[in-house]
Every structure is written in structure tokens, then in C-alpha cells.
Amino acid sequence: MSFEAALAACAAETDALLDYLLPLGATPARRVIEAVRYAALGPGKRLRPFLVVESAALFDVPRQRALRVGAALECVHCYSLIHDDLPAMDDDDLRRGKPTVHKAFDEATAILAGDALLTYAFEIIADEATHPDPQVRLTLISNLARAAGMAGMVGGQMLDIEAETAINSVLSDISLIQGMKTGALFRYACEAGAILGAADPAPLRAYADAIGLAFQITDDILDVESTPEALGKATQKDKVMGKATFVDVLGLARAKIRAAELVDHAVEVLEPYGNHTTIMRDTASFIVSRSK
Ligand code: IPE
Ligand code: IPE
Ligand code: MG
Ligand code: MG
Ligand code: MG
């Protein structure tokens, strides 16, 4: 199967699973589940679930288990986007080609929908259907908590906001911020497959860290080079907000070179896995060549 077909198949399965896991009747609080569904069932790339599924495939994990962990991770990702877009954070009106959750609903509902998605992620993984071994589920839960929390995504978002008012951010600051705010969830996506397969997750870390960084560099390049119509979210924002990005420090041309180097590195570190990593190699290339 081609990379494009594999990504589309995984996105469709993830959408169907999220639709099933988030029924309108899940709570009498109709407004919050409507906002949750609005955010989670949007046209996202579903790259993080895809990485869970592909890394799990290396260890012959049943696909349905990987899809559940991918859906949980996507819930955390969607929560991070809802909160990232809030007026107190990046203050954005457009996400995935639609009004952001606080625009379509209101701020309080957006905050609660984010909270609901974050907590629900752990409920999904804790369910026996994710893996019969409770120790595996516990490892998946504690690693996700760490990746999403103050030493991971939340911490990275804090540093990202603080850097807006810093005088001069240097390359090491930016690598740290991006590694935490975006890299932590990518790393989790790649490790989850190994955890589900009772294998050592360490060898996939170098791949995950390289593509996570390349992913955020590309996000920052697209902010400069793309349009809201093509990207489905606002562009030309990072400069206005004073964001610390690779584009800001290196300039566009060198940021592109850095992203390409990271892809080469990601491909290199996959070598020990032999012929089974074609799709993961293509994923690394897609991460920097994507147009949205
Ligand atoms: C956007 O992530 C947020 C960042 C971490 C840069 P994606 O580009 O994966 O967003 P969706 O899920 O496809 O909308
Ligand atoms: C967001 O980074 C990373 C998150 C943890 C959500 P950005 O603020 O650059 O993401 P976009 O550009 O709004 O999608
Ligand atoms: Mg942000
Ligand atoms: Mg943002
Ligand atoms: Mg961005």
C-alpha cells in the first residue's frame, strides 16, 4: 500500500473510532460533547495516530489496539489545539478550515471541551479493549501523562509563551521549546507501538525526535509561506506574536535545510528495522514536504 493510501486508511479508521468513542449521548451536558465532537471529528491529518499504528505494526500488534491508543493520543492533540487557539494563548479564529472552538461555541465551553478530551484519553487507554495486560495499559497511561504534562507539551507551551517576550531566543532555547511542545507527543506516538508490543521503545526515540522537530520546523515554515485557505489556519502569525521559531533564528532557507537534515537522520536510524519501515520513511519525508 502507498504511503498516501495508508495514511488515508488510518485517518478514516481513527475518525470512525472517535465517532464511536464520543457519542452525543455520552453526557447530559450536551453542549460540551457537541464541542468535543466539533473539535475531534474535524479534518485533521491524524499523523500521530498513524505513527502509533505504523510503529505498532513493526511489533505485530493487533491493529485495533494501536488504533485505540492513536485515538487517545489524538484526543490529547485536539485538546492541545483547542487551548492553543484560545484568546489567552495564540488567539486564533480558524482551525482545520473551520472557526476555532471558542468562536463556534464560547471560551468556557472551549476550555471544558479541552479538559474533557484530555481526561477521556486516559479513560480510553485504561479500558481492557486497549490491551489485556494491565501493566501495559499502566505504562501507556503514565507515559502519555508525562508527554502531555509539564515536562512535555504543557511545559513546552509555557516556554513558547514566555519566549514571546524574551529579548533573544537562541537555537538551543528553540530546540527545547519545540521538543517539548510538539516533540513529546510525537515521541509518545512512536514509543506506544513498542510498548503495545512489549518491545524496547528506546530505538524508535531517535526517529521520533528527528521527525517531531522537523514537523514543528515545517509548521513554522508553512506559517510564513502558506495561506489560510491552503492551511486551514491563520498564517503570518508567528512573527506578529514574537514566537521563537527556527525560521526566526535561522531564516527560511536554513530552516528548510535543517528540516531536510532531520529527515535524513530519521531515515538513517530506521535502518536496523530493515525492510519493514518503508511507510515510516515516507512519513518522515511527508512531514517536511506537506502543504498543510
Ligand atoms: C498542528 O498539528 C499543531 C502543531 C503541533 C504544530 P497538526 O499539523 O498535526 O494538526 P492537524 O491535526 O493536522 O490539524
Ligand atoms: C502548537 O504550536 C503546539 C501545540 C502544543 C498545540 P503552534 O501554535 O505553532 O500550532 P498551530 O500553528 O497553532 O497549529
Ligand atoms: Mg502555539
Ligand atoms: Mg497556535
Ligand atoms: Mg504554528
Side-chain angles (χ1 to χ4, degrees), residues 111-156:
I111 292 167
L112 291 171
D115 295 341
L117 278 163
L118 172 61
T119 46
Y120 193 54
F122 298 106
E123 198 177 327
I124 295 172
I125 300 179
D127 192 294
E128 239 176 8
T130 302
H131 198 285
D133 182 347
Q135 188 56 50
V136 169
R137 302 202 298 274
L138 190 59
T139 305
L140 287 167
I141 289 169
S142 60
N143 286 22
L144 181 57
R146 202 169 313 118
M150 60 190 163
M153 189 274 291
V154 165

Side-chain angles (χ1 to χ4, degrees), residues 84-85 90 92 95:
D84 181 73
D85 290 333
D90 290 352
D92 275 307
R95 171 67 63 185

Side-chain angles (χ1 to χ4, degrees), residues 141-228:
I141 289 169
S142 60
N143 286 22
L144 181 57
R146 202 169 313 118
M150 60 190 163
M153 189 274 291
V154 165
Q157 290 283 70
M158 184 80 256
L159 295 175
D160 180 89
I161 289 167
E162 285 184 319
E164 289 177 11
T165 48
I167 308 295
N168 239 331
S169 296
V170 293
L171 214 51
S172 57
D173 299 331
I174 294 164
S175 302
L176 178 68
I177 295 172
Q178 303 206 348
M180 289 171 75
K181 79 168 185 180
T182 305
L185 295 192
F186 272 87
R187 179 187 269 208
Y188 181 79
C190 297
E191 286 182 352
I195 296 168
L196 279 164
D200 179 9
L204 281 175
R205 258 175 224 150
Y207 169 81
D209 290 349
I211 62 165
L213 200 48
F215 183 87
Q216 184 64 46
I217 295 175
T218 306
D219 184 79
D220 299 340
I221 293 170
L222 290 169
D223 178 84
V224 178
E225 290 197 328
S226 187
T227 60

Side-chain angles (χ1 to χ4, degrees), residues 43-48 74 77 81 95-96 181-182 215-216 219 233 290 292:
K45 292 182 288 295
R46 312 302 195 194
L47 252 183
R48 296 157 190 79
E74 187 68 13
H77 169 59
L81 297 179
R95 171 67 63 185
R96 294 175 169 172
K181 79 168 185 180
T182 305
F215 183 87
Q216 184 64 46
D219 184 79
K233 61 185 182 184
R290 67 201 166 97
K292 62 183 290 184

